[in-house]
Amino acid sequence: MDIASGGVITVANATIASSGTVTVDNGSFTIDGAAGTYNFNNIDVNTNGSWLVTAAYSPTISGSISSDGTFTGCNGAGCVYTLTSATGTISGTGAMTASAVGNTVTYNRTVSNQLIQPTTDAGNNYYNLIINKADGQDVTTSADITVDNQLTLTLGDIIMGGQNIIMSSGSTITGGNASSYIQDNAGGVLRYELSAVGTFFVPIGGERLTAS
């Protein structure tokens, strides 16, 4: 499917089983219904295209997502994107919205490392961020990352590549063990913003530690 020349497609409570690529060249594709089944192979949003979601939904992606345009992946009510391919990627010069209250992004590819993707916010904010990969399969950073509510570490490390991880005031880190912790190997800073005196849990390790 190719949406071009200002075309507009809006679907609500639909059953979609796409085995090819949905390409939004110059127009918009809008999800406007929570009910239904949404299975996509590849999603490609070009510079003048928009992928919009106005209702919570949970699509399955068997290929990859690429966005050089506008990609608003959820309306704030909570959506779950599941990428099932071992080689599937999220890429492009566009960014994704992950900071709306209730939104959760899970990195769970078990066969290779993944890059934590920048988001639409200036601080690359995630509301909830879950790392659940495999022991020895990690995630890396290429920009500062901010977690507004909860960071969950189950399997796989976060390797800070000289960037910072910022935990917003009131946020928490859960999980963390010998197979899942934060590595600071290149001068990055793990910063925990506190609004009052208290204690907090930080599973951190690696060749060099820096905190502020």
Side-chain angles (χ1 to χ4, degrees):
M1 177 188 295
D2 192 347
I3 303 172
S5 302
V8 175
I9 292 180
T10 300
V11 296
N13 306 326
T15 297
I16 295 178
S18 172
S19 59
T21 298
V22 177
T23 301
V24 187
D25 279 321
N26 184 1
S28 65
F29 188 101
T30 302
I31 305 293
D32 191 31
T37 302
Y38 300 90
N39 295 300
F40 299 98
N41 183 32
N42 297 311
I43 297 172
D44 188 8
V45 182
N46 291 326
T47 303
N48 296 317
S50 297
W51 184 278
L52 307 171
V53 176
T54 57
Y57 84 131
S58 298
T60 297
I61 315 296
S62 57
S64 298
I65 299 173
S66 175
S67 175
D68 294 321
T70 299
F71 193 96
T72 302
C74 200
N75 68 336
C79 301
V80 177
Y81 280 71
T82 302
L83 275 69
T84 60
S85 172
T87 58
T89 60
I90 300 174
S91 63
T93 58
M96 62 179 180
T97 302
S99 62
V101 173
N103 281 2
T104 298
V105 176
T106 301
Y107 289 87
N108 61 359
R109 184 189 300 164
T110 59
V111 296
S112 62
N113 290 355
Q114 291 176 278
L115 176 68
I116 297 181
Q117 297 292 322
T119 73
T120 54
D121 300 285
N124 294 317
N125 295 61
Y126 286 79
Y127 186 74
N128 294 318
L129 178 61
I130 298 175
I131 310 302
N132 186 17
K133 294 172 59 62
D135 189 14
Q137 303 298 335
D138 306 316
V139 295
T140 60
T141 61
S142 63
D144 291 356
I145 299 295
T146 301
V147 178
D148 292 329
N149 184 60
Q150 183 168 287
L151 170 63
T152 301
L153 298 172
T154 304
L155 276 174
D157 302 334
I158 299 178
I159 301 175
M160 299 162 61
Q163 296 80 33
N164 302 325
I165 296 177
I166 301 166
M167 300 298 299
S168 297
S169 178
S171 65
T172 59
I173 300 177
T174 62
N177 51 65
S179 299
S180 188
Y181 54 88
I182 299 169
Q183 293 188 35
D184 181 8
N185 296 335
V189 172
L190 173 63
R191 180 175 293 119
Y192 223 123
E193 298 177 349
L194 299 175
S195 58
V197 175
T199 60
F200 56 94
F201 168 71
V202 178
I204 190 167
E207 297 175 1
R208 182 174 60 198
L209 307 180
T210 303
S212 69

